[in-house]
């Protein structure tokens, strides 16, 4: 056990050393900001659940069933999240971390390394699920007056629940890594889970939940409620934790204790099984992970059609960076599932517009269509922000340890950043316009709205891209093993907040004048002089804001990146 | 060809390089040696334009690095101590990338790139991803790419680390050949036998300051150790400096 504790020390010391780092002050600000946002989420979850449970309590006869069904669904979701996050974390911790070669050269057994890594992985993959499950349990405790025993049961049940999730994932990872190189498993696993997620998402959309508001379908809803009372599978650990909480809430202490015992014995048995399997298969899997996986697609010699087109770029350095950016992006297999997910989300996004029940609304369809089109500008811009957060914000960080090449090359940091800007601006602008035009066509909006929304989005896209590139350059992380995670950093958060503010301002600035123009044309009237002035000022401000959103972040990024030297 | 004037770098309270003054003539191979943490890599990085000095100037072929960094860098072939590269590009693509950056025309690129890749024994792997290369292969690729644009100055940090004996001999021959054709080579190294064998002049840096400068013979005279090899001279001079 001493060996395991020693192996955990570097992690603990690194964490403690973070508090005595030179840049302590900015760190404190970051912690405060993250802590504040985290607490807001926490409080939000508590409020929502508290209100929902209070509401359920008021439903005669049905309320408790709904509340327990909700708890059961929440626990199944948590379990699925635990498994998913544990698999991803365990893969990195067991097979892909950079320090593993050094650790395996130390005079400790693979079993000790495995155990130390599993403890780290369990903490990393479960702490967030635990923290955000607490407000839900707290709301149940308050609404159902759970008492001390309820909270003690939660604490006693959450630990084995997390251990079971983490142990199951570790077993799966160790077994699969025995046959497949670990680098390939991550891609395959992420890809498969995203396929599953997309299928569920599309299936859910195809069920058209908006029909639940239609009284004609109530017969099926009643059938649905009848199915609520069906108990969960007895083999699922989420059922054991659910049963222990349900028993303690209904005052059956011995029943709660029995299910708690099931959880603990399940965790102990799985822990034993895991160490046995790891002893037999972990090191072989680690050895396999050292070999480079073969490429899925062989390289083509020379330049393809896209390359030939790129040859037309005006300058060598621009061409060099653009070609490099496109090739490294498309060859990184970890990007593929995310692109696939993006396409699926866009399909669902467009499908949502095609099934909007506009004709059943009490508000005039003509008015509603144009209102949706207007709001859609903001919505599409938020979709673009999410994409930028994932793909554009980490673009500078993805240079990684090879950033010396940029610094040593005869190209200014400014040019380097502008190449990044253009490489991402073009596809994003095309995607944005496609989204806007397609949804406008589905909504059959007026020509005025079509022109206004396409022009506004075209103004917003450069700002979003520049904020992604600029702030990504201002807060780079060249050492990260996974640059895509840069978006969860302080800079990433700042990017999302600024983007939301930018989009919000543009939409607010346009709302008033567009409404007056729209109403004037609807009523066949002209605009008053004051309205013309208002319109001109608003649109001038929109243009000014869009220009500032491009210039300022790019300058900030350039300055901060230069100052790194 | 290379002029360092009062070059200084501070990291917070630590003085990494202290008012360094040096010049390297065209066709000269200059060796830069010193103990760990002496300031060699910091100096090299400032010369390569990847690190800005706190004070002083780096002038490459008459061009001030601070005033016209792109112009100055275009004249340098920079080879860092650790060959971090774009792992998802092939060797040939990385050569093309370097060619585009340094303005090597399409007409001459292919012939030059193939010639260099063959010289460094990488041609057969030129269409494989860099992520599959060994450390030594990456190092050889970095050197090939740095020579692609016929630089007037080579700045190289620990060129022999990770190379096999055959590659070391090849790099030595290439550097000598380049110097014969007028290229200035500034090289930092821990391998004193390489410095002794290759360099026209050697500078010894210790705690950020240049403590000795001259040919191997001049350094031996300075250390009052005529019969000793460079390793003994180096140990004697740095020890004296530590004690004083």
């Amino acid at each position: 056990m001493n060996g395991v504790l020693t192996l955990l020390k570097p992690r603990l010391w690194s964490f403690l050393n973070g508090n005595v780092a030179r840049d302590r002050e900015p760190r404190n600000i970051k912690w405060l900001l993250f802590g504040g946002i985290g607490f807001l989420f926490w409080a939000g979850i508590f409020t929502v659940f508290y209100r929902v449970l209070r509401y359920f309590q008021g439903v005669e006869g049905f309320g408790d069933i709904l509340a327990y069904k909700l708890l059961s669904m929440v626990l199944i979701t948590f379990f699925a999240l635990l498994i998913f996050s544990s698999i991803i974390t365990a893969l990195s911790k067991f097979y892909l971390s950079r320090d593993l070669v050094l650790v395996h050269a130390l005079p400790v057994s693979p079993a000790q390394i495995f155990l130390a890594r599993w403890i780290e992985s369990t903490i990393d993959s479960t702490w967030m699920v635990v923290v955000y499950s607490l407000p839900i349990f707290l709301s149940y405790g308050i609404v159902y007056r759970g008492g001390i025993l309820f909270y003690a049961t939660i604490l006693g049940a959450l630990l084995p629940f997390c251990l079971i999730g983490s142990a199951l994932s570790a077993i799966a990872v160790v077994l699969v890594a025995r046959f497949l190189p670990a680098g390939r498993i991550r891609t395959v696993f992420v890809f498969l889970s995203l396929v599953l997620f997309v299928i569920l998402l599309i299936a859910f959309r195809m069920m058209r939940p908006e029909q639940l508001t239609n009284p004609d379908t109530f017969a099926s809803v009643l059938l649905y409620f009848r199915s609520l009372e069906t108990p969960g599978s007895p083999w699922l650990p989420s059922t054991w934790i659910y049963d222990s909480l349900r028993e303690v809430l209904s005052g059956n202490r011995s029943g709660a204790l029995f299910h708690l015992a099931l959880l603990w014995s399940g965790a102990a048995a799985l822990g034993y099984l895991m160490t046995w399997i790891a002893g037999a298969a972990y090191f072989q899997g680690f050895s396999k992970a050292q070999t480079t996986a073969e490429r899925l697609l062989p390289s083509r010699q020379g330049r393809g059609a896209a390359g030939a087109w790129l040859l037309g770029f005006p300058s060598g350095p621009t061409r060099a960076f653009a070609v490099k950016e496109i090739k490294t992006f498309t060859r990184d297999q970890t990007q593929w599932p995310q692109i696939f997910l993006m396409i699926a989300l866009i399909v669902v996004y467009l499908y949502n517009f095609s099934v909007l029940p506009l004709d059943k609304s009490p508000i005039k369809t003509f008015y509603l269509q144009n209102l949706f089109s207007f709001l859609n500008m903001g919505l599409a811009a938020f979709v673009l922000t999410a994409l930028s957060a994932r793909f554009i914000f980490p673009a500078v960080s993805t240079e990684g340890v090879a950033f010396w090449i940029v610094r040593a090359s005869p190209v200014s940091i400014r040019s380097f950043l502008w190449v990044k800007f253009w490489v991402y601006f073009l596809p994003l602008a095309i995607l944005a316009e496609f989204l806007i035009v397609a949804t406008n066509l589905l909504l059959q909006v007026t020509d005025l709205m079509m022109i206004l929304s396409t022009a506004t989005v075209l103004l917003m896209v450069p700002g979003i891209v520049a904020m992604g590139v600029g702030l990504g350059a201002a807060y780079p992380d060249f050492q990260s093993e996974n640059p895509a995670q840069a978006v969860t950093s302080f800079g990433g958060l700042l990017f999302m907040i600024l983007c939301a503010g930018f989009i919000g301002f543009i939409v607010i600035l346009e709302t008033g004048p567009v409404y007056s123009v729209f109403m004037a044309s609807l009523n066949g009237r002209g605009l008053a002089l004051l309205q013309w002035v208002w319109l001109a000022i608003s649109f001038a401000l929109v243009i000014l804001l869009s220009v500032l959103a491009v210039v300022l972040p790019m300058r900030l990024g350039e300055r901060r990146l230069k100052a790194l030297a | 060809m290379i002029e360092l004037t009062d070059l200084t770098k501070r990291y917070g309270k630590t003085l990494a390089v202290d008012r360094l003054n040096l010049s390297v003539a065209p066709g000269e191979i200059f060796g830069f040696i010193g103990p760990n943490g002496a300031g060699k890599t910091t100096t090299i990085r400032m010369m390569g334009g990847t690190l800005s000095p706190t004070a002083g100037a780096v002038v490459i072929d008459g061009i001030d690095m601070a005033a016209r960094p792109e112009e100055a860098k275009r004249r340098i072939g920079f080879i860092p101590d650790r060959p971090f590269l774009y792992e998802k590009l092939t060797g040939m693509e990385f050569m093309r990338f370097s060619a585009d950056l340094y303005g090597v025309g399409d007409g001459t690129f292919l012939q030059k790139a193939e010639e260099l890749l063959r010289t460094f024994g990488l041609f057969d792997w030129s269409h494989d991803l860099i992520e599959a290369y060994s450390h030594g292969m990456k190092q050889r690729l970095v050197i090939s790419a740095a020579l692609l644009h016929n630089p007037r100055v080579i700045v190289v940090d620990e060129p022999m680390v990770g190379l096999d004996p055959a590659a070391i001999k090849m790099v030595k021959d290439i550097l000598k050949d380049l110097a014969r054709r007028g290229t200035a080579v500034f090289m930092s190294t821990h391998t004193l036998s390489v410095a002794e064998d290759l360099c026209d002049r050697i500078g010894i840096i210790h705690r950020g300051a240049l403590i000795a400068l001259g040919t191997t013979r001049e350094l031996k005279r300075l250390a009052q150790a005529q019969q000793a090899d460079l390793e003994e001279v180096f140990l004697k001079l740095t020890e004296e400096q530590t004690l004083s």
Side-chain angles (χ1 to χ4, degrees):
Chain A
M1 199 60 198
N2 265 347
V4 175
L5 289 177
T6 309
L7 287 171
L8 287 170
K9 277 178 189 167
R11 174 72 191 272
L12 181 70
W13 288 340
S14 304
F15 177 76
L16 294 176
N17 288 343
N19 294 329
V20 290
R22 285 179 192 173
D23 59 341
R24 191 174 174 171
E25 209 161 308
R27 267 173 170 267
N28 288 343
I29 297 170
K30 284 176 197 175
W31 279 110
L32 270 176
L33 187 70
F34 277 113
I37 291 172
F39 179 74
L40 279 180
F41 269 113
W42 202 93
I45 292 172
F46 174 77
T47 314
V48 168
F49 269 81
Y50 181 78
R51 290 184 69 124
V52 166
L53 290 177
R54 276 258 176 261
Y55 173 75
F56 281 170
Q57 266 201 328
V59 181
E60 197 72 30
F62 238 10
D64 286 351
I65 297 173
L66 284 174
Y68 283 128
K69 193 67 193 176
L70 181 64
L71 182 63
S72 155
M73 284 163 69
V74 163
L75 287 167
I76 288 178
T77 311
F78 278 162
F79 193 62
L81 281 177
L82 274 177
I83 295 277
F84 183 83
S85 122
S86 297
I87 286 180
I88 297 282
T89 318
L91 258 176
S92 305
K93 294 274 173 197
F94 296 162
Y95 300 106
L96 305 172
S97 292
R98 282 184 194 155
D99 61 337
L100 276 167
V101 175
L102 173 72
V103 171
H104 275 271
L106 298 174
V108 283
S109 68
Q112 285 176 312
I113 295 171
F114 175 83
L115 208 57
R117 294 278 149 159
W118 179 70
I119 293 171
E120 260 190 61
S121 163
T122 306
I123 295 170
D124 285 352
S125 60
T126 59
W127 74 269
M128 203 179 267
V129 176
V130 171
V131 166
Y132 285 101
S133 70
L134 291 179
I136 297 172
F137 295 132
L138 187 65
S139 57
Y140 271 90
I142 292 173
V143 172
Y144 286 92
R145 294 190 183 83
I148 291 290
L149 205 65
F150 171 73
Y151 297 109
T153 311
I154 285 168
L155 292 180
L158 268 181
L159 183 61
F161 184 59
C162 293
L163 292 179
I164 288 172
S166 178
L168 278 175
S169 309
I171 290 170
V173 166
V174 170
L175 287 178
V176 179
R178 181 70 188 79
F179 305 102
L180 268 178
R184 183 56 52 79
I185 303 172
R186 184 160 62 177
T187 312
V188 171
F189 175 74
V190 172
F191 191 76
L192 284 180
S193 25
L194 285 177
V195 169
L196 192 70
F197 173 73
V198 169
I199 290 171
L200 284 175
L201 193 74
I202 292 174
F204 177 72
R205 270 312 300 140
M206 298 303 165
M207 278 161 56
R208 302 185 69 170
E210 64 277 3
Q211 284 187 343
L212 289 176
T213 56
N214 188 346
D216 302 342
T217 57
F218 260 120
S220 61
V221 175
L222 283 171
L223 282 174
Y224 168 71
F225 276 135
R226 202 168 294 161
S227 74
L228 287 179
E229 286 191 287
T230 322
S233 164
W235 293 101
L236 270 179
S238 57
T239 309
W240 307 339
I241 186 171
Y242 165 75
D243 286 339
S244 62
L245 294 180
R246 187 181 173 136
E247 297 289 5
V248 78
L249 277 178
S250 54
N252 182 359
R253 286 180 188 189
S254 58
L257 211 61
F258 170 75
H259 293 293
L260 261 183
L262 257 184
L263 270 172
W264 276 104
S265 56
L270 273 174
Y272 178 78
L273 186 68
M274 178 187 75
T275 39
W276 184 74
I277 291 173
Y282 172 55
F283 188 70
Q284 284 84 345
F286 174 70
S287 302
K288 207 175 194 73
Q290 305 301 301
T291 56
T292 309
E294 275 180 33
R295 293 172 63 186
L296 286 183
L297 299 173
S299 91
R300 281 175 304 163
Q301 299 204 356
R303 284 182 164 144
W309 174 73
L310 282 165
L311 284 172
F313 265 86
S315 81
T318 311
R319 181 171 69 185
F321 281 120
V323 173
K324 189 272 293 177
E325 196 73 21
I326 293 165
K327 284 194 167 164
T328 48
F329 182 86
T330 49
R331 283 178 190 166
D332 185 357
Q333 291 158 26
T334 56
Q335 308 275 16
W336 298 356
Q338 319 230 11
I339 292 169
F340 176 70
L341 178 69
M342 186 186 84
I343 293 168
L345 288 176
I346 288 167
V347 169
V348 172
Y349 183 85
L350 293 176
Y351 177 76
N352 282 340
F353 276 87
S354 72
V355 297
L356 273 178
L358 294 173
D359 49 332
K360 288 191 180 156
S361 163
I363 309 168
K364 264 187 185 171
T365 307
F366 174 68
Y367 176 79
L368 211 58
Q369 281 166 329
N370 289 288
L371 175 73
F372 273 133
S373 166
F374 189 75
L375 293 177
N376 184 37
M377 288 189 314
L379 202 60
F382 280 123
V383 170
L384 297 179
T385 303
L387 292 177
S388 308
R390 172 59 193 80
F391 295 109
I392 303 177
F393 182 80
V396 171
S397 296
T398 48
E399 296 289 323
V401 282
F403 186 61
W404 69 268
I405 298 169
V406 179
R407 294 213 61 95
S409 71
V411 175
S412 65
I413 291 290
R414 178 179 295 175
S415 311
F416 163 72
L417 290 180
W418 278 105
V419 171
K420 292 255 179 201
F421 173 88
W422 285 107
V423 164
Y424 289 100
F425 169 72
L426 292 173
L428 210 69
I430 293 168
L431 177 69
E433 291 300 336
F434 168 73
L435 277 181
I436 286 295
V437 172
T439 45
N440 279 350
L441 289 176
L442 286 170
L443 287 167
Q444 297 169 344
V445 298
T446 57
D447 291 345
L448 175 72
M449 276 313 296
M450 182 67 102
I451 293 166
L452 179 85
S453 52
T454 47
T456 306
V457 165
L458 203 60
L459 278 173
M460 282 199 273
V461 174
I464 293 170
V465 175
M467 279 195 267
V469 173
L471 291 171
Y475 299 95
D477 182 1
F478 295 121
Q479 301 303 322
S480 173
E481 288 184 31
N482 183 7
Q485 281 177 354
V487 75
T488 58
S489 66
F490 174 75
L493 196 67
L494 193 67
F495 163 70
M496 285 190 274
I497 292 171
L498 287 177
C499 268
F502 169 62
I503 296 162
F505 265 121
I506 299 265
V507 172
I508 289 168
L509 278 171
E510 288 191 355
T511 309
V514 169
Y515 181 75
S516 55
V517 170
F518 186 71
M519 290 315 284
S521 69
L522 201 65
N523 299 325
R525 284 189 284 108
L527 285 179
L529 180 65
L530 207 64
Q531 283 177 314
W532 275 114
V533 173
W534 185 23
L535 190 115
I537 291 174
S538 293
F539 279 94
L541 281 174
V542 165
I543 292 170
L544 179 71
L545 200 64
S546 304
V547 172
L548 288 178
V550 173
V551 174
L552 296 181
M554 291 297 278
R555 277 196 188 160
L556 175 77
E558 185 190 343
R559 213 175 53 232
R560 296 281 294 257
L561 213 51
K562 274 184 181 167
L564 274 183
Chain B
M1 190 62 79
I2 303 172
E3 293 282 344
L4 309 183
T5 315
D6 287 332
L7 194 65
T8 305
K9 182 69 186 178
R10 264 183 194 284
Y11 295 112
K13 287 178 186 166
T14 312
L15 186 61
V17 176
D18 185 14
R19 286 167 297 155
L20 191 63
N21 287 287
L22 264 180
S23 65
V24 180
E28 183 180 5
I29 302 182
F30 185 88
F32 201 44
I33 62 176
N36 290 335
K40 298 188 297 294
T41 298
T42 301
T43 307
I44 290 261
R45 287 187 184 167
M46 287 191 284
M47 291 172 68
T50 68
L51 192 67
S52 59
T54 310
V58 173
V59 176
I60 303 290
D61 196 16
I63 298 164
D64 187 346
M65 179 65 82
R68 289 151 65 200
E70 286 86 48
E71 290 277 307
K73 287 176 190 174
R74 201 163 285 130
R75 285 157 169 78
I76 299 176
F78 183 73
I79 304 164
D81 53 344
R82 283 178 290 179
F84 293 124
L85 295 166
Y86 298 116
E87 304 269 311
K88 294 288 178 192
L89 294 187
T90 66
M92 185 56 97
E93 285 168 353
F94 184 71
M95 294 293 276
R96 167 79 75 171
F97 171 75
S98 300
D100 284 345
L101 279 184
Y102 287 87
V104 178
D106 284 345
T108 52
F109 162 74
L110 205 60
Q111 188 201 344
K112 190 88 203 281
E114 284 185 5
E115 188 186 308
L116 280 164
L117 290 171
R118 277 187 210 281
T119 305
F120 283 93
L122 291 170
F123 187 72
D124 290 342
W125 287 274
S126 58
H127 294 290
D128 285 354
L129 290 187
I130 294 171
E131 67 183 10
Y133 285 20
S134 71
H135 179 87
M137 288 167 79
K138 287 178 186 170
Q139 185 72 4
R140 280 184 273 156
L141 181 62
V142 171
I143 299 173
S144 311
L147 300 180
L148 195 58
H149 61 290
N150 296 325
R152 306 186 73 168
V153 170
I154 301 270
V155 177
V156 48
D157 195 0
E158 297 290 353
M160 310 308 175
V161 172
L163 296 184
D164 58 35
I168 289 177
K169 185 178 180 313
M170 185 172 57
V171 170
K172 278 192 309 199
D173 290 346
I174 286 171
L175 291 179
K176 276 181 190 167
D177 186 48
L178 284 168
R180 254 196 306 277
R181 286 189 274 150
T183 307
V185 179
F186 188 102
M187 177 178 83
S188 99
T189 183
H190 275 123
T191 322
L192 298 182
S193 59
V194 169
E196 194 167 11
D197 185 28
L198 208 60
C199 299
D200 301 313
R201 277 191 310 149
I202 291 167
I204 301 180
I205 186 173
H206 188 46
R207 293 178 177 167
L210 195 67
I211 59 165
L213 177 69
T215 60
T216 312
R217 187 181 296 220
E218 284 166 349
L219 291 180
K220 284 178 183 175
R221 204 165 39 234
L222 190 69
Q224 294 165 338
Q226 295 294 338
Q227 301 307 314
D229 61 9
L230 187 59
E231 186 175 310
E232 279 179 55
V233 171
F234 170 78
L235 290 172
K236 195 154 188 259
L237 288 173
T238 50
E239 201 170 83
E240 275 173 12
Q241 197 68 24
T242 307
L243 294 172
S244 63

